[in-house]
Amino acid sequence: MANTAQLLRRQSSRDIVLKSQKSIDQLELRELRGRLVPKEHGVSHHHHTSLHHHHQPLYGATNQGFMSDAFDESSELEQEPPFGSDAGTSKTKAELAAVVEQQQQQQDIVEGEKEGEERESWDSKIMFLLATIGYAVGLGNVWRFPYLAQKNGGGAFLVPYFIMLCIQGIPIFYLELAIGQRLRKGAIGVWSQVSPYLGGIGISSAVVSFIVALYYNTIIAWCLIYLLHSFESPLPWADCPTRLYKNYTYDHEPECVASSPTQFYWYRTTLQCSESVDLPESFNYHMAIALIVSWFLVYICMVQGITSSGKIVYMTAIFPYVVLIIFFFRGITLKGAADGVAHLFTPRWETLLDPVVWLEAGTQIFFSLGLAFGGLIAFSSYNPANNNCYRDAILVSLTNCGTSMFAGVVVFAVIGFKATATFDRCTEERAGLVAQNRTHNLPICDLEQELANSASGTGLAFIIFTEAINQFPGAQLWAVLFFLMLFTLGIDSQFGTLEGVVTSLVDMKLFPNLPKEYIVGALCLSCCIISMCFANGAGSYIFQLMDSFAGNFPLLIIALFECLSISYIYGVRRFSDDIEMMTGSRPGFYWMFCWKYLSPCAMVTILLASFYQLVTEGSSYPAWIAAKGATESMEWPHWCIVIAFALILSSILWIPLVALLRLCGIKVVEDSDPAWFPEAELKEVHGIVPHEPTELERSVFCFNMDGTEGMCCPKYGLPEKSLEEEEE
């Protein structure tokens, strides 16, 4: 498939002939409307449809059959002459000959860009938006945001949540979309082009994406297991299983009776949990098969590139919203739904004084948007050069946060129903005991406590919510919908995470003669083999270890270096000029201030606070104790701490290592030519003139009138001349 850069290059040659055509969008439309196929000795042509102006960027690839620039490009420039008109034919041939001559003169320019011609492009804007929304909106929106909100002040939590969105989430999201669209490469290629010493940022993003994709697919495997068993009647987690004793009598499993059917099915049937991470026990064959199937599905979806996976997102990105809407209307009709939603959003303003609340709000925003993985940079590199990345950043970010709030309403409407049912049973039991004059050791019935007992993460999805579904009429249908929604949410985010890895490998040209589908296959196969470490009794504990460390601190550090690289090496002024050239409008003062000062400070604060919390409070994991039928908090053993630090260092050490090796003359990332970019055409289309910095920009960002940008330190010397004075 021809890529966007190829289309724009062809447009440049056609500007020589069509002086009146001003818009790149019009040029793309001319190319896609009609074609001539060069065959038979010289030139033959088919009839065209008439050309119309159109101002919406077209993303689609052109037909591979029309690959001759010399003839196909020029053929669409001509208007169809009247049938039988020799004059029209002669004029057409003359125009074709002129274009051929012009293209031969520019052949050296086009030849130099053969490298960029293999890059794919999105078929439509809606496909890009759905893929990006599907990547950003993931499982954390459904099972982490509701828990954090009710835990950290209810409605009051929205205050730090949206503040961190404005000073950290949207600015970094905007930055990654813009730099990927401008430099038209994956994460490694982008940061190597910003500076050869920064190639380690891209490698770090690829390594983190690989590690996160490794354990994230385990969640998809869990969803597949539950989805398969959701078709059984009754649901296998609805009641406790029975045990056959030696005297041939049956009774319910004691471990299940001590806990609950949903807990027993999750910890003992699905995970086959051991009592410690040090005791992996037996191999979990059901889990291994689910992992193989999930990796095969990911491979099938990704092997054809973004065009095929882009079509898949029409289902995987839209379906979760359909299910959420269905659950919303079902949930609000349940008894106790209003109590659950009120518990979620009732503000407790005193929590705003707790720094941990702000820390968790910033962390949730950061990881919810999928920043620093390299997936956003890869996705935006397939966009047209004149795409409005600012509008995309605002739209996707707000959609992501809106989805979190909507999912919170749905989840707590159902949890409110479950808590109310538990509260009613408790009050009935208490009333029965009182009626029998048994007033000692009466059960304590507290609806608020039941609502506050909601778990986060896998506990919310596979235990709390599943227990609530058991009480629905037609529970099988609701279980199928719920776990199919979790599956689509997970696999959407998995596409974006792996795309960051694959694009970086392709751009590095580590395997220059290997087709992309083989790279994807090798990547998925290696991940599948490594992920077998999750298919044992300690597998869920290894999952928690990687989730707590590998996908946490490294991403904050990578995003910090991304922001610093754009602000102090690439230059905020240069970056703003690029965005103005692509979108036609310059970023406001607020965005530049965030990139240079506010966002780095926010990330450093979160990073230091997270390290402080880790050192002072330590880190533990919930281990399942079969004798008690409950979980107990256990400290990580030393070998797990070593693995955790190894995972962190293996991700972030690439940043200083690549720079140091570069200083010593060793190139870890080979230099590559910049991707072709229609800078002149975009400036002409948008009417870009050199930007003269305002007095505020000069004082805050150290913009100089000669176009340079300095650090924020006092400079003394002769006053600089303005652009107008220099022109005079």
Side-chain angles (χ1 to χ4, degrees):
M1 164 171 97
N3 59 12
T4 306
Q6 183 181 8
L7 299 181
L8 293 172
R9 268 199 302 281
R10 294 176 176 179
Q11 293 160 11
S12 302
S13 64
R14 282 178 286 169
D15 281 346
I16 301 171
V17 179
L18 289 181
K19 298 294 185 180
S20 61
Q21 193 169 348
K22 298 294 184 182
S23 168
I24 291 181
D25 305 329
Q26 297 166 356
L27 289 168
E28 278 190 322
L29 185 59
R30 284 179 179 270
E31 178 169 285
L32 297 175
R33 281 294 177 90
R35 292 283 189 169
L36 288 180
V37 182
K39 286 292 177 187
E40 298 189 35
H41 307 295
V43 180
S44 64
H45 62 275
H46 298 291
H47 293 295
H48 294 266
T49 58
S50 59
L51 301 177
H52 298 281
H53 294 296
H54 189 49
H55 294 282
Q56 182 179 358
L58 293 178
Y59 285 64
T62 55
N63 191 315
Q64 284 279 34
F66 306 103
M67 296 303 296
S68 175
D69 288 345
F71 293 97
D72 292 339
E73 301 299 329
S74 57
S75 64
E76 56 193 47
L77 302 178
E78 62 187 26
Q79 297 291 336
E80 182 181 7
F83 182 75
S85 172
D86 294 336
T89 304
S90 301
K91 181 179 179 180
T92 297
K93 291 181 178 180
E95 289 180 350
L96 288 174
V99 171
V100 170
E101 182 179 354
Q102 292 285 355
Q103 293 207 343
Q104 288 175 347
Q105 295 173 359
Q106 297 184 2
Q107 187 64 30
D108 56 335
I109 300 177
V110 177
E111 281 298 322
E113 299 303 325
K114 293 296 182 185
E115 176 184 332
E117 291 180 3
E118 299 302 323
R119 199 167 199 85
E120 298 172 289
S121 65
W122 298 104
D123 281 349
S124 65
K125 180 62 175 283
I126 189 64
M127 184 182 290
F128 163 72
L129 288 176
L130 287 177
T132 310
I133 290 173
Y135 166 69
V137 176
L139 295 166
N141 298 76
V142 175
W143 68 28
R144 182 157 176 80
F145 172 81
Y147 166 75
L148 289 178
Q150 67 89 22
K151 172 191 170 187
N152 295 305
F157 179 74
L158 298 179
V159 175
Y161 183 76
F162 279 102
I163 289 177
M164 299 307 292
L165 172 68
C166 293
I167 69 175
Q168 177 183 274
I170 299 179
I172 306 300
F173 199 94
Y174 185 14
L175 181 149
E176 292 197 351
L177 288 185
I179 197 66
Q181 182 175 316
R182 172 60 182 88
L183 300 183
R184 317 200 68 71
K185 293 184 178 183
I188 294 177
V190 160
W191 299 115
S192 298
Q193 189 168 332
V194 170
S195 172
Y197 296 94
L198 298 177
I201 298 178
I203 297 179
S204 294
S205 292
V207 172
V208 171
S209 296
F210 176 80
I211 296 174
V212 170
L214 189 66
Y215 72 81
Y216 196 86
N217 212 49
T218 307
I219 304 175
I220 300 176
W222 293 337
C223 294
L224 287 176
I225 292 175
Y226 270 75
L227 179 61
L228 177 65
H229 291 291
S230 295
F231 292 95
E232 298 180 16
S233 181
L235 291 173
W237 51 82
D239 298 300
C240 287
T242 56
R243 171 188 285 189
L244 176 63
Y245 291 94
K246 293 181 179 180
N247 59 356
Y248 299 101
T249 60
Y250 290 90
D251 196 6
H252 289 298
E253 181 69 43
E255 184 180 344
C256 178
V257 174
S259 55
S260 69
T262 52
Q263 282 185 306
F264 180 83
Y265 188 84
W266 169 243
Y267 286 110
R268 298 298 290 164
T269 305
T270 303
L271 301 181
Q272 299 179 13
C273 276
S274 59
E275 294 193 353
S276 168
V277 70
D278 293 315
L279 304 171
E281 293 185 354
S282 60
F283 189 74
N284 189 339
Y285 291 98
H286 298 288
M287 188 65 202
I289 294 173
L291 284 168
I292 293 172
V293 172
S294 61
W295 277 114
F296 178 73
L297 291 175
V298 170
Y299 167 74
I300 292 298
C301 294
M302 290 195 62
V303 69
Q304 297 299 327
I306 63 164
T307 50
S308 295
S309 61
K311 292 180 176 65
I312 294 170
V313 301
Y314 280 108
M315 192 274 287
T316 58
I318 296 175
F319 181 76
Y321 287 97
V322 175
V323 176
L324 280 176
I325 292 172
I326 293 173
F327 267 97
F328 171 76
F329 286 107
R330 180 68 182 99
I332 60 176
T333 61
L334 297 171
K335 181 183 178 181
D339 294 326
V341 176
H343 177 79
L344 173 63
F345 288 114
T346 299
R348 301 187 296 277
W349 299 110
E350 66 277 4
T351 58
L352 295 180
L353 300 177
D354 186 356
V356 175
V357 173
W358 293 81
L359 171 64
E360 293 196 337
T363 305
Q364 173 63 14
I365 280 292
F366 187 89
F367 298 114
S368 175
L369 290 173
L371 306 175
F373 282 102
L376 292 174
I377 294 177
F379 278 178
S380 63
S381 70
Y382 302 125
N383 271 333
N386 60 336
N387 176 60
N388 193 330
C389 53
Y390 170 70
R391 183 175 55 200
D392 295 342
I394 298 294
L395 176 63
V396 176
S397 299
L398 294 182
T399 300
N400 177 74
C401 294
T403 303
S404 295
M405 296 176 63
F406 182 63
V409 172
V410 173
V411 167
F412 267 85
V414 176
I415 288 178
F417 161 72
K418 171 188 171 294
T420 301
T422 304
F423 177 76
D424 289 343
R425 288 194 300 269
C426 179
T427 54
E428 289 177 5
E429 180 183 353
R430 182 185 178 92
L433 292 174
V434 170
Q436 300 173 14
N437 293 324
R438 298 169 58 184
T439 57
H440 295 289
N441 298 323
L442 290 175
I444 300 174
C445 304
D446 188 350
L447 179 60
E448 286 298 317
Q449 186 60 41
E450 288 293 333
L451 290 169
N453 285 339
S454 61
S456 69
T458 54
L460 174 63
F462 297 103
I463 298 176
I464 303 296
F465 210 89
T466 305
E467 186 175 339
I469 290 177
N470 286 340
Q471 304 174 45
F472 285 8
Q476 286 80 10
L477 173 62
W478 296 105
V480 168
L481 285 176
F482 179 68
F483 291 111
L484 190 57
M485 178 190 72
L486 293 184
F487 170 76
T488 54
L489 282 172
I491 205 166
D492 248 358
S493 299
Q494 186 77 336
F495 289 157
T497 305
L498 279 179
E499 187 64 40
V501 182
V502 173
T503 305
S504 297
L505 291 175
V506 171
D507 287 348
M508 283 186 71
K509 296 182 175 58
L510 294 178
F511 313 100
N513 299 322
L514 199 63
K516 185 176 179 179
E517 53 267 26
Y518 290 135
I519 296 178
V520 173
L523 180 65
C524 291
L525 180 61
S526 61
C527 286
C528 183
I529 294 173
I530 298 174
S531 65
M532 290 299 112
C533 68
F534 303 115
N536 59 74
S540 62
Y541 305 141
I542 301 297
F543 171 87
Q544 293 175 47
L545 178 71
M546 298 180 71
D547 188 41
S548 300
F549 295 97
N552 193 328
F553 298 106
L555 291 174
L556 276 169
I557 296 172
I558 292 169
L560 175 62
F561 274 94
E562 287 182 354
C563 209
L564 295 176
S565 300
I566 291 296
S567 300
Y568 298 100
I569 298 178
Y570 192 81
V572 171
R573 179 171 183 172
R574 179 183 174 189
F575 189 52
S576 301
D577 290 340
D578 290 343
I579 293 176
E580 183 182 15
M581 178 172 56
M582 293 186 294
T583 66
S585 59
R586 195 172 184 82
F589 177 87
Y590 172 77
W591 301 113
M592 293 189 288
F593 188 78
C594 282
W595 291 328
K596 196 152 190 173
Y597 304 114
L598 207 54
S599 296
C601 288
M603 284 184 284
V604 169
T605 302
I606 292 175
L607 198 58
L608 294 178
S610 300
F611 275 120
Y612 176 78
Q613 189 179 40
L614 179 64
V615 171
T616 56
E617 299 180 8
S619 179
S620 60
Y621 67 98
W624 178 257
I625 308 301
K628 298 180 180 180
T631 58
E632 284 187 1
S633 180
M634 299 184 66
E635 295 292 327
W636 290 109
H638 294 300
W639 67 270
C640 287
I641 299 297
V642 172
I643 290 179
F645 276 100
L647 290 172
I648 295 174
L649 294 177
S650 67
S651 303
I652 62 175
L653 277 183
W654 289 102
I655 299 175
L657 183 62
V658 169
L660 289 174
L661 291 177
R662 188 83 185 196
L663 283 173
C664 299
I666 302 174
K667 296 181 181 180
V668 178
V669 180
E670 290 295 328
D671 297 331
S672 61
D673 295 332
W676 190 90
F677 192 78
E679 184 173 346
E681 290 89 337
L682 288 172
K683 287 183 177 180
E684 180 182 356
V685 167
H686 295 303
I688 303 298
V689 296
H691 173 71
E692 182 173 348
T694 63
E695 189 64 32
L696 182 62
E697 291 175 340
R698 294 179 62 188
S699 59
V700 175
F701 304 118
C702 299
F703 289 171
N704 301 321
M705 301 305 297
D706 60 357
T708 61
E709 179 180 343
M711 299 289 289
C712 271
C713 54
K715 290 180 179 291
Y716 302 97
L718 296 174
E720 297 167 337
K721 295 182 179 181
S722 65
L723 294 175
E724 287 80 0
E725 292 173 343
E726 290 180 355
E727 291 175 357
E728 292 177 359

